[in-house]
């Protein structure tokens, strides 16, 4: 009877431990990246009442006999982690990400330089990709741990320098204001193009009328930007004749060579496709001589970028330095691709390669030791551990803009809770019945 009491107490303790496990699973149902635990029973030690023996087939011998054993209840066999991938939950932060597979992120305190040995690095493994960029340009998680991956090879990942719009400063351009003898209308003529104006007494506004007319849709300079650089003015002796300075810029971007010499005397203005926009006649000076104003070309051709290449050794991921300015790129937005590459867009709207997240493969994930929060450390039975680049295989691909939800199955947890409760009740009943039998035994002597 005492043995039944011992077995009942063992059952109570073990079922309580299983309920602790279930309670932990349910408590973490909304914890990012949480992996549920399963509690496994095993029967406890046995005492042998009758030993087993083999049969004797000789004359007069007896047959075999099985051993008779009585157990002492149940105890813990193991608590294993279910490493199945949780459901993705959308996030508004573009640097949040999750691994769709069995791999882990590599995070931890700063390690200067690069390395390849993950197991001896002292870093943590994590399934939670809540990432941000700190004040030093490093990628960190919400526990202030640096995120490790593969940095750029020196001299690669340099964005292209787009062509600047071609522009010309044209100085000393003749401008004439005249009145039509028949209609009485006033017009201003620059570069051989006349437009009507009502500002015959205000030459500055008259030039602005000309610019507005020739750059509007259908105008001779429709595809150009024309601005008055400054105003030299009209002569006092002849207030209808003067010179102006203009800045002319192509509205479309592209190689500046496509617009070379477009302001030469009598040269037709063509766009990048070779279509004529307008033919300019810059006019005559006071002596009737044809004038080619002074012009200064401004602009730069496109400089192609250098494609990003990623290192084979691990290091903390950090925004790279702009070789033109010597400072880190001013990143305004981010994106994480399936292969773990992190790309930013800077203030100049250029795509900037930042780094590539590492995915850590663990041969035996159940050999990892759980730390506070959502970190794991390699245990002695974890097996081979190595960092790879995301390739969409069993280790997974990176899903940017998502976080991994807990893989807790509430329906299963609740059903396990019911069976555990009933098991606890049954073991408590064993103790109660054993107590009643002991009470009857004590009462026999009365």
């Amino acid at each position: 009877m005492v043995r039944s009491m011992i077995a009942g107490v063992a059952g109570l303790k073990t079922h309580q431990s299983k309920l602790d496990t279930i309670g932990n699973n349910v408590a973490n149902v909304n914890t990012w990246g949480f992996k549920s635990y399963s509690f496994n029973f095993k029967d406890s030690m046995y005492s042998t009442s009758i030993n087993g023996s083999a049969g004797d087939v000789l004359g007069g011998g007896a047959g075999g006999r099985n051993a008779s054993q009585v157990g002492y209840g149940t105890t813990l066999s193991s608590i294993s982690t279910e490493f199945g991938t949780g459901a993705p939950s959308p996030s508004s932060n573009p640097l949040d990400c999750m691994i769709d597979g069995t791999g882990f992120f590599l995070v931890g305190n700063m390690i200067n330089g690069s390395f390849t040995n993950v197991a001896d690095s002292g870093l943590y493994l994590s399934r939670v990709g809540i990432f941000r960029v700190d004040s030093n340009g490093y990628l960190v998680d919400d526990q202030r741990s640096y995120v490790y991956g593969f940095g750029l090879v020196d001299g690669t990942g340099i964005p292209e320098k787009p062509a600047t719009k071609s522009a010309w400063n044209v100085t000393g351009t003749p401008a004439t204001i005249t009145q039509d003898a028949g209609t009485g209308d006033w017009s201003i003529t620059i570069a051989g193009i006349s437009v009507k104006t009502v500002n015959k007494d205000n030459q500055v506004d008259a030039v602005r009328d000309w610019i507005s007319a020739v750059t509007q849709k259908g105008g001779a300079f429709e595809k150009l930007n024309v601005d008055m650089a400054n105003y030299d003015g009209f002569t006092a002796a002849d207030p209808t004749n003067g010179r102006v300075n203009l800045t002319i810029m192509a509205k479309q971007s592209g190689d500046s060579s496509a617009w070379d010499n477009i302001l030469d005397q009598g040269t037709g203005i063509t766009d990048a496709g070779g279509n004529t926009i307008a033919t300019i006649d810059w006019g005559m000076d006071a002596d009737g001589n044809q004038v080619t104003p002074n012009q200064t070309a401004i602009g730069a051709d496109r400089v192609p970028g250098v494609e990003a290449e990623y290192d084979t050794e691990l290091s903390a991921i950090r925004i790279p330095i702009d070789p033109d300015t010597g400072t880190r790129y001013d990143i305004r937005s981010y994106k994480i691709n399936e292969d773990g590459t992190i790309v930013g867009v800077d203030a100049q709207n250029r795509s900037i390669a930042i780094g590539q997240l590492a995915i850590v493969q663990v041969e035996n994930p159940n050999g990892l030791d759980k730390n506070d929060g959502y970190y794991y450390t390699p245990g002695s039975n974890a097996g081979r551990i190595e960092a790879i680049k995301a390739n969409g295989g069993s280790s997974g691909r990176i899903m940017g803009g998502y976080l991994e939800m807990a893989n807790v199955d509430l329906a299963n947890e609740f059903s396990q809770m019911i069976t555990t409760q009933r098991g606890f009740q049954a073991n408590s009943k064993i103790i109660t019945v054993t107590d009643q039998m002991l009470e009857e035994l004590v009462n026999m002597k009365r």
Side-chain angles (χ1 to χ4, degrees), residues 4-257:
S4 63
M5 182 75 75
I6 295 173
V9 171
L12 289 179
K13 290 181 177 180
T14 311
H15 279 80
Q16 179 60 59
S17 297
K18 180 172 183 179
L19 194 60
D20 292 341
T21 304
I22 295 172
N24 183 58
N25 288 342
V26 174
N28 286 283
V29 68
N30 287 318
T31 300
W32 299 121
F34 177 78
K35 302 304 175 186
S36 62
Y37 294 88
S38 61
F39 188 98
N40 304 305
F41 291 94
K42 71 174 182 179
D43 45 355
S44 187
M45 61 177 290
Y46 284 83
S47 66
T48 302
S49 300
I50 301 175
N51 290 323
S53 61
D56 186 354
V57 297
L58 296 177
R65 180 173 56 191
N66 297 325
S68 297
Q69 295 176 298
V70 178
Y72 285 84
T74 184
T75 187
L76 167 66
S77 172
S78 65
I79 298 177
S80 56
T81 308
E82 304 295 335
F83 277 99
T85 304
S89 176
S91 170
S92 59
N93 175 33
L95 281 177
D96 285 345
C97 60
M98 63 169 284
I99 300 174
D100 184 16
T102 61
F104 296 83
F105 296 114
L106 184 63
V107 300
N109 292 335
M110 174 59 68
I111 294 180
N112 294 321
S114 57
F115 61 96
T116 57
N117 190 336
V118 176
D120 296 335
S121 65
L123 298 176
Y124 299 111
L125 305 184
S126 168
R127 287 285 300 184
V128 181
I130 304 178
F131 298 149
R132 302 291 186 275
V133 175
D134 71 359
S135 58
N136 295 314
Y138 283 100
L139 190 66
V140 297
D141 67 8
D142 65 342
Q143 303 296 311
R144 299 179 58 198
S145 293
Y146 294 101
V147 181
Y148 287 83
F150 305 97
L152 292 169
V153 174
D154 289 343
T156 69
I158 300 174
E160 72 170 24
K161 298 177 184 177
T164 58
K165 292 182 178 180
S166 305
W168 294 263
N169 289 329
V170 184
T171 58
T173 304
T176 304
I177 298 177
T178 57
Q179 184 180 28
D180 187 274
T183 63
D185 294 335
W186 290 89
S187 62
I188 179 170
T189 303
I190 303 175
I193 302 172
S194 298
V195 300
K196 289 184 179 181
T197 180
V198 296
N199 295 293
K200 65 182 182 63
D201 298 322
N202 188 329
Q203 289 88 0
V204 173
D205 286 344
V207 175
R208 289 172 178 160
D209 289 342
W210 182 88
I211 292 174
S212 176
V214 299
T215 56
Q216 68 182 347
K217 186 173 178 61
F221 289 171
E222 175 188 351
K223 296 187 178 181
L224 301 178
N225 288 324
V226 180
D227 294 305
M228 189 187 308
N230 53 59
Y231 176 62
D232 285 352
F234 290 70
T235 63
D238 186 358
T240 61
N241 286 285
R243 294 180 180 275
V244 296
N245 304 327
L246 301 174
T247 296
I248 300 180
M249 178 181 291
K251 286 184 180 178
Q252 68 180 54
S253 61
D255 292 342
S256 60
S257 59

Side-chain angles (χ1 to χ4, degrees), residues 244-402:
V244 296
N245 304 327
L246 301 174
T247 296
I248 300 180
M249 178 181 291
K251 286 184 180 178
Q252 68 180 54
S253 61
D255 292 342
S256 60
S257 59
W259 300 92
D260 282 350
N261 302 320
I262 67 169
L263 302 183
D264 284 352
Q265 180 68 35
T267 300
I269 299 179
T270 58
D271 59 19
N275 303 310
T276 300
I277 300 174
T279 300
I280 298 179
D281 177 8
W282 289 107
M284 304 288 181
D285 62 16
D287 300 324
N289 299 314
Q290 202 164 31
V291 174
T292 300
N294 297 322
Q295 55 180 294
T296 304
I298 305 170
D301 291 340
R302 169 183 172 273
V303 177
V306 181
E307 188 175 353
E309 295 181 16
Y310 297 98
D311 208 339
T312 56
E313 295 188 342
L314 296 164
S315 60
I317 296 177
R318 192 180 192 186
I319 295 174
I321 292 177
D322 185 346
D324 293 332
T325 64
T327 60
R328 304 204 175 275
Y329 290 103
D330 182 11
I331 305 298
R332 301 299 177 88
S333 63
Y334 298 89
K335 179 183 178 182
I336 299 181
N337 298 315
E338 285 192 359
D339 61 355
T341 53
I342 306 172
V343 179
V345 177
D346 70 353
Q348 301 178 48
N349 205 33
R350 299 177 298 175
S351 236
I352 308 296
I354 297 174
Q356 186 174 18
L357 293 170
I359 289 184
V360 178
Q361 286 182 320
V362 181
E363 186 176 10
N364 176 28
N366 271 293
L368 299 175
D369 295 331
K370 193 75 164 64
N371 288 58
D372 290 341
Y374 44 74
Y375 291 158
Y376 299 87
T377 53
S380 57
N381 194 38
R384 180 176 50 84
I385 299 176
E386 64 176 349
I388 64 170
K389 298 177 181 179
N391 55 17
S394 61
S395 294
R397 61 190 176 98
I398 304 296
M399 295 177 61
Y402 290 90

Side-chain angles (χ1 to χ4, degrees), residues 426-443:
N427 281 274
S428 65
K429 189 66 175 177
I430 289 292
I431 296 175
T432 302
V433 172
T434 303
D435 177 59
Q436 291 173 350
M437 294 177 68
L438 289 173
E439 182 181 7
E440 290 295 330
L441 181 63
V442 171
N443 290 337

